[in-house]
Amino acid sequence: MATIDVPEQVSVLADAEALRKACKGWGTDEKAIISVLGHRNAVQRKQIRLAYEDLYQEDLIKRLESELSGDFEKAVYRWILDPADRDAVLANVAIKKLSPDHHVIVEISCTRSPEELLAVRRAYQARYKHSLEEDVAAHTKGDTRKLLVSLVSAFRYDGEEINTRVANSEAKILHEAVKDKEFNHEEIIRILSTRSKMQLMATFNRYRDDHGTTITKNLEGDSGDEFLKTLRATIRCLNDPKKYFEKVLRNSIRRVGTDEDALTRVIVTRAEKDLKDIKELYYKRNSVSLDQAVAKDTSGDYKALLLTLLGKED
Amino acid sequence: MALPVDIEALDKAFSGIGVDEKSLISILTNSNEEHKKSLRKGSSKLFIEDAKGFERSDQSSIKILKHQFKRFRDAVMLSILHPWERDARLIEKAIRKGPKHYNVIVEMACTRSSDQLLGARKAYHSLFHHSIEEHLVTHIKGRERKLLVALVSAYRFDGPGVNEDVAKSEAQILYEAINNGEKNKLLDHEDAIMILATRSKQHLQALYQHYNQSYDKTLAQDLEGEGILKDTVECLCTPQTYFTRVLEAAVKEDADEESKRALTRVIVTQKEQLVKEGFVPNKIQDILLGLYKDFMLASIASGDIK
């Protein structure tokens, strides 16, 4: 379930005006920005941008970029984009790093629906004049590259059908791989990148039933090569995305010096999806609410925006 | 007694691609039982003398005849289906039928626009309740699998702005893969597959030019005999060469059934291109028959209708 709190009635014209007012003159009224944008869904945010452009012949995003700075600016920028466009930006940022953030690519390709991933690929092309898979291929190597390119190129069947025979045989294959660490990478990549999510759930369940432990538990504790890490992230995202996101949040906060990129990314991308469930998981796991943890670890306008997206009442 | 000219006409009615329906009507409806008997006796391809004293149909020839009659129907179906469903069904059939048909998968993946290929993938979900990739990996165990999966999964950028330096260096990568490595390992060459499967067509066409300039031969020439690798390069870089090749193979003297089917597929799906490039083999006029011929010629004639 979503966490953002959107009012019953919304006037995008009034919103555009309010944002204009917040940016005009000396200094910026960040609170006003948060109180408008933090309470609007994707459709409304898009309409506000159009209204703003209409009224003031200016791109709202560019204006905000120039007015704001730091983690707050990054968060607002990501929040205000269309979800597909946002994912394209996140993917590009991840790819272009000196040491690419493979897990972000995994996250985007495995936790979005097949149609959403297609939209991301389209948005990526529109922005960067390259295909997503092209850029991933050009910036990664070896088996990690094979896995990531397969994941971003996948267009999984989204039906409910499950083949138990397949679940059985593929659970075996995965178990062999995990146990021996003599991975037949081709087979694993094939299974994880082509099967439907329902089929994969059945396979993971079968794995758990056969071996008394979840596949992700069996993968834990390995530090190790990049492929293994990416593989772990893949299986976690496919197996239980909410749990995966809870872990990302937990790690991002726990670090000495918060990982704002990860924190922003998860909150912004899940606020309209399942952040509420993730919050529950967080509380169960850490005995402190995510709101509290974020409040403790962040400050200023950045903190205010995150808390608003988390559903805190103004 | 049937006249020799009738026997010849009957033979001719079945000896092209398609069937001469008008001729058959005229011969058969004007034949009494005597006539028909001598037609059968004179038609050594279709009938054999049975020991029990009658002219028995040769089943393998009759089977071939079924294909001939089916061509018009196939042309209609290919023509009327939504392109997404059409391409999805062609891919599914090719997967089922095996290695000799993999070029059809390459054709679908590489000669369609990015959005058309996406559409075919969506239609595939609806029709077959699996993704194309899933079926490919399930049914194809051979070394072609990697390339085919990569090709159908592509969503290539379509637009200008090729980085010529990259195109040139990737031409070199392919050159080295082909000429220094073992040729039969090409299908396992990760970099080659990545280049062919992820780069835009514009980029690959630039790469093709660089290859030609740098090495004095075309990439397609260097891939002679390499089956779907050559098909891939042709479909992406020089599609008219690929289609010409397919059409010419279809109208050859000893063309097999699959090659002939390609005729319908290419003419129906590529008619705009055919007209534009002006590359219909002349033999079509002579070798096609009946309603099927009418359909094919009319398709080409109307090719520039939008």
Side-chain angles (χ1 to χ4, degrees), chain B residues 68-87:
Chain B
Q68 298 282 40
F69 279 103
K70 219 171 138 268
R71 292 195 204 290
F72 181 75
R73 188 208 87 151
D74 288 344
V76 169
M77 290 313 294
L78 279 181
S79 184
I80 200 171
L81 286 180
H82 190 293
W84 294 358
E85 177 174 354
R86 177 196 72 200
D87 287 353

PDB file of all heavy atoms in Angstrom, chain B residues 68-87:
ATOM      1  N   GLN B  68       0.141 -26.863 -51.739  1.00  0.00           N
ATOM      2  CA  GLN B  68      -0.125 -25.927 -52.830  1.00  0.00           C
ATOM      3  C   GLN B  68      -1.477 -25.255 -52.651  1.00  0.00           C
ATOM      4  O   GLN B  68      -1.631 -24.058 -52.850  1.00  0.00           O
ATOM      5  CB  GLN B  68      -0.078 -26.657 -54.175  1.00  0.00           C
ATOM      6  CG  GLN B  68       1.271 -27.262 -54.506  1.00  0.00           C
ATOM      7  CD  GLN B  68       2.261 -26.229 -55.001  1.00  0.00           C
ATOM      8  OE1 GLN B  68       2.318 -25.111 -54.483  1.00  0.00           O
ATOM      9  NE2 GLN B  68       3.050 -26.607 -55.990  1.00  0.00           N
ATOM     10  N   PHE B  69      -2.479 -26.057 -52.286  1.00  0.00           N
ATOM     11  CA  PHE B  69      -3.818 -25.492 -52.101  1.00  0.00           C
ATOM     12  C   PHE B  69      -3.855 -24.545 -50.920  1.00  0.00           C
ATOM     13  O   PHE B  69      -4.616 -23.592 -50.875  1.00  0.00           O
ATOM     14  CB  PHE B  69      -4.843 -26.612 -51.898  1.00  0.00           C
ATOM     15  CG  PHE B  69      -5.294 -27.255 -53.184  1.00  0.00           C
ATOM     16  CD1 PHE B  69      -4.813 -28.491 -53.567  1.00  0.00           C
ATOM     17  CD2 PHE B  69      -6.189 -26.602 -54.014  1.00  0.00           C
ATOM     18  CE1 PHE B  69      -5.218 -29.084 -54.756  1.00  0.00           C
ATOM     19  CE2 PHE B  69      -6.596 -27.184 -55.213  1.00  0.00           C
ATOM     20  CZ  PHE B  69      -6.113 -28.421 -55.588  1.00  0.00           C
ATOM     21  N   LYS B  70      -3.012 -24.837 -49.949  1.00  0.00           N
ATOM     22  CA  LYS B  70      -3.024 -24.076 -48.698  1.00  0.00           C
ATOM     23  C   LYS B  70      -2.425 -22.677 -48.865  1.00  0.00           C
ATOM     24  O   LYS B  70      -2.643 -21.806 -48.032  1.00  0.00           O
ATOM     25  CB  LYS B  70      -2.194 -24.848 -47.656  1.00  0.00           C
ATOM     26  CG  LYS B  70      -2.738 -24.838 -46.259  1.00  0.00           C
ATOM     27  CD  LYS B  70      -1.952 -25.816 -45.420  1.00  0.00           C
ATOM     28  CE  LYS B  70      -1.635 -25.270 -44.040  1.00  0.00           C
ATOM     29  NZ  LYS B  70      -0.344 -24.578 -43.931  1.00  0.00           N
ATOM     30  N   ARG B  71      -1.670 -22.479 -49.911  1.00  0.00           N
ATOM     31  CA  ARG B  71      -0.932 -21.220 -50.019  1.00  0.00           C
ATOM     32  C   ARG B  71      -1.836 -20.008 -50.013  1.00  0.00           C
ATOM     33  O   ARG B  71      -1.495 -18.990 -49.411  1.00  0.00           O
ATOM     34  CB  ARG B  71      -0.072 -21.195 -51.288  1.00  0.00           C
ATOM     35  CG  ARG B  71       1.048 -22.188 -51.219  1.00  0.00           C
ATOM     36  CD  ARG B  71       2.097 -21.940 -52.259  1.00  0.00           C
ATOM     37  NE  ARG B  71       2.806 -23.169 -52.534  1.00  0.00           N
ATOM     38  CZ  ARG B  71       3.643 -23.743 -51.668  1.00  0.00           C
ATOM     39  NH1 ARG B  71       3.869 -23.179 -50.506  1.00  0.00           N
ATOM     40  NH2 ARG B  71       4.238 -24.869 -51.985  1.00  0.00           N
ATOM     41  N   PHE B  72      -2.950 -20.102 -50.727  1.00  0.00           N
ATOM     42  CA  PHE B  72      -3.854 -18.958 -50.769  1.00  0.00           C
ATOM     43  C   PHE B  72      -4.383 -18.652 -49.376  1.00  0.00           C
ATOM     44  O   PHE B  72      -4.412 -17.508 -48.929  1.00  0.00           O
ATOM     45  CB  PHE B  72      -5.009 -19.233 -51.727  1.00  0.00           C
ATOM     46  CG  PHE B  72      -5.974 -18.094 -51.843  1.00  0.00           C
ATOM     47  CD1 PHE B  72      -5.647 -16.960 -52.575  1.00  0.00           C
ATOM     48  CD2 PHE B  72      -7.203 -18.126 -51.195  1.00  0.00           C
ATOM     49  CE1 PHE B  72      -6.530 -15.890 -52.674  1.00  0.00           C
ATOM     50  CE2 PHE B  72      -8.094 -17.066 -51.294  1.00  0.00           C
ATOM     51  CZ  PHE B  72      -7.751 -15.946 -52.038  1.00  0.00           C
ATOM     52  N   ARG B  73      -4.766 -19.716 -48.670  1.00  0.00           N
ATOM     53  CA  ARG B  73      -5.270 -19.539 -47.311  1.00  0.00           C
ATOM     54  C   ARG B  73      -4.223 -18.885 -46.424  1.00  0.00           C
ATOM     55  O   ARG B  73      -4.503 -17.969 -45.659  1.00  0.00           O
ATOM     56  CB  ARG B  73      -5.674 -20.884 -46.722  1.00  0.00           C
ATOM     57  CG  ARG B  73      -6.383 -20.783 -45.392  1.00  0.00           C
ATOM     58  CD  ARG B  73      -6.171 -22.002 -44.556  1.00  0.00           C
ATOM     59  NE  ARG B  73      -4.948 -21.871 -43.774  1.00  0.00           N
ATOM     60  CZ  ARG B  73      -4.741 -22.437 -42.607  1.00  0.00           C
ATOM     61  NH1 ARG B  73      -5.679 -23.200 -42.090  1.00  0.00           N
ATOM     62  NH2 ARG B  73      -3.606 -22.286 -41.963  1.00  0.00           N
ATOM     63  N   ASP B  74      -2.991 -19.386 -46.537  1.00  0.00           N
ATOM     64  CA  ASP B  74      -1.910 -18.824 -45.725  1.00  0.00           C
ATOM     65  C   ASP B  74      -1.690 -17.355 -46.052  1.00  0.00           C
ATOM     66  O   ASP B  74      -1.451 -16.539 -45.169  1.00  0.00           O
ATOM     67  CB  ASP B  74      -0.606 -19.596 -45.961  1.00  0.00           C
ATOM     68  CG  ASP B  74      -0.650 -20.986 -45.336  1.00  0.00           C
ATOM     69  OD1 ASP B  74      -1.531 -21.217 -44.484  1.00  0.00           O
ATOM     70  OD2 ASP B  74       0.178 -21.837 -45.707  1.00  0.00           O
ATOM     71  N   ALA B  75      -1.760 -17.041 -47.340  1.00  0.00           N
ATOM     72  CA  ALA B  75      -1.568 -15.650 -47.740  1.00  0.00           C
ATOM     73  C   ALA B  75      -2.647 -14.778 -47.113  1.00  0.00           C
ATOM     74  O   ALA B  75      -2.374 -13.688 -46.601  1.00  0.00           O
ATOM     75  CB  ALA B  75      -1.598 -15.525 -49.256  1.00  0.00           C
ATOM     76  N   VAL B  76      -3.878 -15.261 -47.139  1.00  0.00           N
ATOM     77  CA  VAL B  76      -4.982 -14.497 -46.548  1.00  0.00           C
ATOM     78  C   VAL B  76      -4.752 -14.304 -45.055  1.00  0.00           C
ATOM     79  O   VAL B  76      -4.866 -13.200 -44.523  1.00  0.00           O
ATOM     80  CB  VAL B  76      -6.329 -15.214 -46.791  1.00  0.00           C
ATOM     81  CG1 VAL B  76      -7.436 -14.580 -45.947  1.00  0.00           C
ATOM     82  CG2 VAL B  76      -6.698 -15.169 -48.262  1.00  0.00           C
ATOM     83  N   MET B  77      -4.374 -15.384 -44.372  1.00  0.00           N
ATOM     84  CA  MET B  77      -4.190 -15.293 -42.922  1.00  0.00           C
ATOM     85  C   MET B  77      -3.059 -14.327 -42.574  1.00  0.00           C
ATOM     86  O   MET B  77      -3.204 -13.458 -41.724  1.00  0.00           O
ATOM     87  CB  MET B  77      -3.884 -16.682 -42.337  1.00  0.00           C
ATOM     88  CG  MET B  77      -5.053 -17.653 -42.352  1.00  0.00           C
ATOM     89  SD  MET B  77      -6.591 -16.930 -41.746  1.00  0.00           S
ATOM     90  CE  MET B  77      -6.180 -16.628 -40.031  1.00  0.00           C
ATOM     91  N   LEU B  78      -1.936 -14.495 -43.248  1.00  0.00           N
ATOM     92  CA  LEU B  78      -0.810 -13.600 -42.968  1.00  0.00           C
ATOM     93  C   LEU B  78      -1.194 -12.157 -43.224  1.00  0.00           C
ATOM     94  O   LEU B  78      -0.759 -11.241 -42.532  1.00  0.00           O
ATOM     95  CB  LEU B  78       0.395 -13.955 -43.835  1.00  0.00           C
ATOM     96  CG  LEU B  78       1.262 -15.119 -43.356  1.00  0.00           C
ATOM     97  CD1 LEU B  78       2.428 -15.323 -44.312  1.00  0.00           C
ATOM     98  CD2 LEU B  78       1.788 -14.851 -41.966  1.00  0.00           C
ATOM     99  N   SER B  79      -2.039 -11.985 -44.218  1.00  0.00           N
ATOM    100  CA  SER B  79      -2.383 -10.632 -44.611  1.00  0.00           C
ATOM    101  C   SER B  79      -3.375  -9.985 -43.652  1.00  0.00           C
ATOM    102  O   SER B  79      -3.311  -8.790 -43.396  1.00  0.00           O
ATOM    103  CB  SER B  79      -2.981 -10.684 -46.022  1.00  0.00           C
ATOM    104  OG  SER B  79      -3.253  -9.407 -46.483  1.00  0.00           O
ATOM    105  N   ILE B  80      -4.284 -10.805 -43.103  1.00  0.00           N
ATOM    106  CA  ILE B  80      -5.373 -10.222 -42.329  1.00  0.00           C
ATOM    107  C   ILE B  80      -5.058 -10.138 -40.839  1.00  0.00           C
ATOM    108  O   ILE B  80      -5.601  -9.282 -40.138  1.00  0.00           O
ATOM    109  CB  ILE B  80      -6.685 -11.003 -42.559  1.00  0.00           C
ATOM    110  CG1 ILE B  80      -7.888 -10.133 -42.159  1.00  0.00           C
ATOM    111  CG2 ILE B  80      -6.708 -12.324 -41.806  1.00  0.00           C
ATOM    112  CD1 ILE B  80      -9.219 -10.739 -42.541  1.00  0.00           C
ATOM    113  N   LEU B  81      -4.182 -11.004 -40.338  1.00  0.00           N
ATOM    114  CA  LEU B  81      -3.875 -10.973 -38.919  1.00  0.00           C
ATOM    115  C   LEU B  81      -3.219  -9.661 -38.528  1.00  0.00           C
ATOM    116  O   LEU B  81      -2.504  -9.055 -39.328  1.00  0.00           O
ATOM    117  CB  LEU B  81      -2.923 -12.119 -38.547  1.00  0.00           C
ATOM    118  CG  LEU B  81      -3.474 -13.540 -38.487  1.00  0.00           C
ATOM    119  CD1 LEU B  81      -2.348 -14.503 -38.110  1.00  0.00           C
ATOM    120  CD2 LEU B  81      -4.612 -13.648 -37.493  1.00  0.00           C
ATOM    121  N   HIS B  82      -3.450  -9.251 -37.294  1.00  0.00           N
ATOM    122  CA  HIS B  82      -2.709  -8.118 -36.739  1.00  0.00           C
ATOM    123  C   HIS B  82      -1.226  -8.477 -36.814  1.00  0.00           C
ATOM    124  O   HIS B  82      -0.843  -9.598 -36.478  1.00  0.00           O
ATOM    125  CB  HIS B  82      -3.130  -7.886 -35.288  1.00  0.00           C
ATOM    126  CG  HIS B  82      -2.614  -6.606 -34.709  1.00  0.00           C
ATOM    127  ND1 HIS B  82      -1.278  -6.377 -34.475  1.00  0.00           N
ATOM    128  CD2 HIS B  82      -3.249  -5.484 -34.315  1.00  0.00           C
ATOM    129  CE1 HIS B  82      -1.126  -5.161 -33.973  1.00  0.00           C
ATOM    130  NE2 HIS B  82      -2.302  -4.601 -33.859  1.00  0.00           N
ATOM    131  N   PRO B  83      -0.381  -7.518 -37.244  1.00  0.00           N
ATOM    132  CA  PRO B  83       1.044  -7.833 -37.397  1.00  0.00           C
ATOM    133  C   PRO B  83       1.667  -8.445 -36.139  1.00  0.00           C
ATOM    134  O   PRO B  83       2.559  -9.290 -36.237  1.00  0.00           O
ATOM    135  CB  PRO B  83       1.680  -6.472 -37.695  1.00  0.00           C
ATOM    136  CG  PRO B  83       0.591  -5.652 -38.267  1.00  0.00           C
ATOM    137  CD  PRO B  83      -0.699  -6.149 -37.682  1.00  0.00           C
ATOM    138  N   TRP B  84       1.191  -8.013 -34.962  1.00  0.00           N
ATOM    139  CA  TRP B  84       1.762  -8.582 -33.738  1.00  0.00           C
ATOM    140  C   TRP B  84       1.449 -10.075 -33.641  1.00  0.00           C
ATOM    141  O   TRP B  84       2.314 -10.887 -33.339  1.00  0.00           O
ATOM    142  CB  TRP B  84       1.201  -7.862 -32.506  1.00  0.00           C
ATOM    143  CG  TRP B  84       1.592  -6.435 -32.367  1.00  0.00           C
ATOM    144  CD1 TRP B  84       2.418  -5.710 -33.182  1.00  0.00           C
ATOM    145  CD2 TRP B  84       1.156  -5.529 -31.349  1.00  0.00           C
ATOM    146  NE1 TRP B  84       2.521  -4.421 -32.729  1.00  0.00           N
ATOM    147  CE2 TRP B  84       1.758  -4.279 -31.602  1.00  0.00           C
ATOM    148  CE3 TRP B  84       0.308  -5.656 -30.237  1.00  0.00           C
ATOM    149  CZ2 TRP B  84       1.548  -3.164 -30.787  1.00  0.00           C
ATOM    150  CZ3 TRP B  84       0.115  -4.542 -29.427  1.00  0.00           C
ATOM    151  CH2 TRP B  84       0.728  -3.312 -29.711  1.00  0.00           C
ATOM    152  N   GLU B  85       0.182 -10.425 -33.890  1.00  0.00           N
ATOM    153  CA  GLU B  85      -0.199 -11.826 -33.799  1.00  0.00           C
ATOM    154  C   GLU B  85       0.490 -12.622 -34.899  1.00  0.00           C
ATOM    155  O   GLU B  85       0.985 -13.729 -34.680  1.00  0.00           O
ATOM    156  CB  GLU B  85      -1.722 -11.992 -33.915  1.00  0.00           C
ATOM    157  CG  GLU B  85      -2.137 -13.464 -33.882  1.00  0.00           C
ATOM    158  CD  GLU B  85      -3.641 -13.676 -33.842  1.00  0.00           C
ATOM    159  OE1 GLU B  85      -4.385 -12.687 -33.725  1.00  0.00           O
ATOM    160  OE2 GLU B  85      -4.054 -14.840 -33.924  1.00  0.00           O
ATOM    161  N   ARG B  86       0.517 -12.012 -36.067  1.00  0.00           N
ATOM    162  CA  ARG B  86       1.144 -12.686 -37.210  1.00  0.00           C
ATOM    163  C   ARG B  86       2.579 -13.054 -36.874  1.00  0.00           C
ATOM    164  O   ARG B  86       3.002 -14.204 -37.031  1.00  0.00           O
ATOM    165  CB  ARG B  86       1.092 -11.738 -38.409  1.00  0.00           C
ATOM    166  CG  ARG B  86       1.740 -12.227 -39.659  1.00  0.00           C
ATOM    167  CD  ARG B  86       1.970 -11.074 -40.625  1.00  0.00           C
ATOM    168  NE  ARG B  86       3.037 -10.195 -40.181  1.00  0.00           N
ATOM    169  CZ  ARG B  86       3.209  -8.939 -40.587  1.00  0.00           C
ATOM    170  NH1 ARG B  86       2.344  -8.408 -41.436  1.00  0.00           N
ATOM    171  NH2 ARG B  86       4.200  -8.219 -40.141  1.00  0.00           N
ATOM    172  N   ASP B  87       3.347 -12.064 -36.415  1.00  0.00           N
ATOM    173  CA  ASP B  87       4.754 -12.325 -36.134  1.00  0.00           C
ATOM    174  C   ASP B  87       4.911 -13.297 -34.953  1.00  0.00           C
ATOM    175  O   ASP B  87       5.799 -14.154 -34.965  1.00  0.00           O
ATOM    176  CB  ASP B  87       5.489 -11.010 -35.834  1.00  0.00           C
ATOM    177  CG  ASP B  87       5.693 -10.175 -37.095  1.00  0.00           C
ATOM    178  OD1 ASP B  87       5.377 -10.679 -38.196  1.00  0.00           O
ATOM    179  OD2 ASP B  87       6.168  -9.030 -36.985  1.00  0.00           O
TER     180      ASP B  87
END
